[in-house]
Amino acid sequence: MGFTTVTANTFADSSTSVISDRIHVATIWRRDLVNLNKTRDNHMRWYGHYFDHHLLVRESSTVEGHIEQEGTLLHRFPNRAGLLGFWLRSLWWLRKHHCSQPLDAVILPIGEEPLALVLKFAFIGTKAPPKLVMDLWDVPGQALAGTDKRFRRRVARSLYLALVPLFLRCSDFVVAGVVPEVFTKMGVKPSQIIHSENAVLPGLFDPKLPADGIWRRGSSNSTETVKLLYQGYIHPSRGAIAMVEMVAVLRDQGHPVELLMVGPLGNDVVDTVEKMAVSKGVSEFVTLSGPVPSERIPAIIAGADICLCPLVDIEQYRWSYPVKIYEYMAMQKAIVASRLPGIECQIEDGVVGGCLYHPEDPSGLLTATKRLLEDREMAIEVAARGRAWVTERSWPKMMGRVCKQIETSLHRGER
């Protein structure tokens, strides 16, 4: 793609030589994104397979966590350095490297937004300072938006969120993995935004795959049973309670459905969902599996008839392109999803991918699901069109296009 990548990372432990190319880029991150699949944190391990194909990781290392990609130089920082130590070492290392082999750009991932402000001072006195590129695959700062019992941490999060627009304005370009409007509202000029959707690896998501054995553990093996699937973080804000209530109503109306929820569980969700299922009389038709290895996801989706993405309308979800929708489409499944701006870029209601509903409508999820249950011909057609749509949105194609845009923007020298 025309990139030579130089990586500073607190965790990695190997390196290869740098090969000269048209663009010389440094990437900086503190988290061990490459090894997320191996972490003890079930929540973060689940998301590891998303980061495997992220621009930052694709350009600096392999998914196995070994820095073997040709053209990568790794500089190791001790993990004990802490945030301030990491920033100081990053400033020193980047300036030193830039003076010996000038950098064209420094790419900062989500979570490292404050470094844009810090790096403005790192290259004072140097010729042709590198451009700063924010690589943001989610709404910036939203991971910190949750409440916390500790007052000081709440204050720190609020301050961080308030300063995000300033950090963004310190960057030269923003790779937007969400609807670009998020960043224009924060003062980023449209000319600075490089749009990047999420994507999928179609070769891994083959509609002809046999169903994963997890479905055989369900209560019903009848060929008439309609299998509903949700995969992702299991939480009320992602429709966990609404899905159980829907199953109860559908079964009362004579639809033989069962629901499988796969993914990390939010606090107290297991008790809440199980109590809801028991109270509604559908406990034998609702299964919470917890997180599973990411390589099993395609086969799990293969066993489903209808796939769900019932997000509530909050800032964190409104502008995103859920990866699960790309994966559902790649497996040629009909989808029921919330009508949010990001999702509307993926699904055309009743035409491509599946059916949408307004998340503020209490019966919306039920109504949209019944549309697919009662019109199986439509369900088959929208699933086929979804598969055709998503095959043009593979990670290699998406990242190739984004890298080309970055390279073109750097050559133009735009601000």
Side-chain angles (χ1 to χ4, degrees), residues 100-113:
S100 62
Q101 188 174 3
L103 294 166
D104 293 296
V106 175
I107 298 180
L108 302 177
I110 193 167
E112 308 296 352
E113 294 96 335

Side-chain angles (χ1 to χ4, degrees), residues 52-69:
D52 285 348
H53 309 292
H54 181 254
L55 170 62
L56 178 68
V57 178
R58 276 182 57 80
E59 292 304 316
S60 61
S61 59
T62 65
V63 297
E64 289 81 14
H66 303 295
I67 309 302
E68 296 174 346
Q69 181 176 336

Side-chain angles (χ1 to χ4, degrees), residues 41-321:
D41 186 330
N42 286 337
H43 190 177
M44 294 310 296
R45 185 169 69 245
W46 173 265
Y47 288 102
H49 68 292
Y50 296 167
F51 300 135
D52 285 348
H53 309 292
H54 181 254
L55 170 62
L56 178 68
V57 178
R58 276 182 57 80
E59 292 304 316
S60 61
S61 59
T62 65
V63 297
E64 289 81 14
H66 303 295
I67 309 302
E68 296 174 346
Q69 181 176 336
E70 192 175 24
T72 299
L73 171 68
L74 185 76
H75 186 78
R76 184 171 61 238
F77 294 155
N79 192 20
R80 63 180 180 276
L83 178 60
L84 180 59
F86 171 74
W87 283 1
L88 292 175
R89 288 171 179 267
S90 296
L91 292 174
W92 167 80
W93 180 76
L94 285 169
R95 184 182 175 92
K96 178 181 177 181
H97 191 87
H98 181 64
C99 290
S100 62
Q101 188 174 3
L103 294 166
D104 293 296
V106 175
I107 298 180
L108 302 177
I110 193 167
E112 308 296 352
E113 294 96 335
L115 268 177
L117 180 61
V118 177
L119 288 174
K120 283 294 181 182
F121 301 97
F123 301 101
I124 293 177
T126 64
K127 293 182 179 179
K131 300 294 184 182
L132 298 182
V133 181
M134 291 276 196
D135 187 16
L136 305 179
W137 66 79
D138 204 347
V139 178
Q142 286 306 310
L144 304 175
T147 59
D148 192 282
K149 294 182 179 179
R150 287 180 241 179
F151 176 74
R152 284 188 298 176
R153 185 168 294 182
R154 288 204 306 270
V155 171
R157 286 172 171 171
S158 299
L159 179 62
Y160 180 89
L161 290 172
L163 290 174
V164 163
L166 172 62
F167 302 148
L168 292 177
R169 287 196 289 271
C170 289
S171 64
D172 295 281
F173 302 103
V174 173
V175 178
V178 295
V179 177
E181 185 180 344
V182 170
F183 301 104
T184 57
K185 286 182 176 180
M186 294 183 179
V188 180
K189 298 176 182 178
S191 61
Q192 293 176 260
I193 297 175
I194 298 171
H195 189 209
S196 168
E197 298 178 48
N198 278 318
V200 73
L201 287 175
L204 295 181
F205 289 82
D206 184 353
K208 297 178 182 178
L209 281 174
D212 187 272
I214 196 170
W215 290 102
R216 291 194 291 273
R217 294 202 299 270
S219 59
S220 174
N221 292 314
S222 171
T223 56
E224 296 181 0
T225 300
V226 179
K227 298 179 175 64
L228 309 179
L229 171 69
Y230 169 83
Q231 63 108 347
Y233 186 52
I234 300 172
H235 190 269
S237 68
R238 301 197 179 198
I241 303 301
M243 287 186 284
V244 174
E245 292 176 334
M246 178 187 68
V247 168
V249 174
L250 288 174
R251 293 199 68 86
D252 285 343
Q253 294 179 354
H255 296 285
V257 298
E258 63 180 44
L259 171 65
L260 171 64
M261 288 188 269
V262 178
L265 304 168
N267 294 334
D268 302 322
V269 165
V270 174
D271 288 342
T272 303
V273 172
E274 288 181 348
K275 287 178 181 177
M276 173 65 72
V278 170
S279 68
K280 297 290 183 179
V282 293
S283 57
E284 61 181 313
F285 305 110
V286 175
T287 304
L288 280 72
S289 76
V292 300
S294 58
E295 58 269 18
R296 289 178 60 188
I297 294 301
I300 290 175
I301 298 174
D305 297 301
I306 296 174
C307 295
L308 308 173
C309 184
L311 304 180
V312 301
D313 187 6
I314 60 176
E315 190 74 12
Q316 184 175 355
Y317 305 146
R318 187 176 302 139
W319 309 106
S320 65
Y321 306 115

Side-chain angles (χ1 to χ4, degrees), residues 12-38:
D13 58 4
S14 58
S15 64
T16 62
S17 61
V18 171
I19 299 174
S20 297
D21 210 330
R22 292 170 292 174
I23 299 296
H24 193 203
V25 177
T27 59
I28 301 292
W29 76 93
R30 285 179 292 121
R31 296 168 180 81
D32 190 10
L33 299 185
V34 178
N35 285 314
L36 279 178
N37 286 317
K38 302 173 185 176

Side-chain angles (χ1 to χ4, degrees), residues 329 332 350-353 378 380-390:
M329 284 183 170
Q332 202 165 319
V351 179
V352 177
M378 180 187 71
I380 292 170
E381 290 176 356
V382 297
R385 294 190 194 109
R387 167 71 183 181
W389 181 86
V390 84

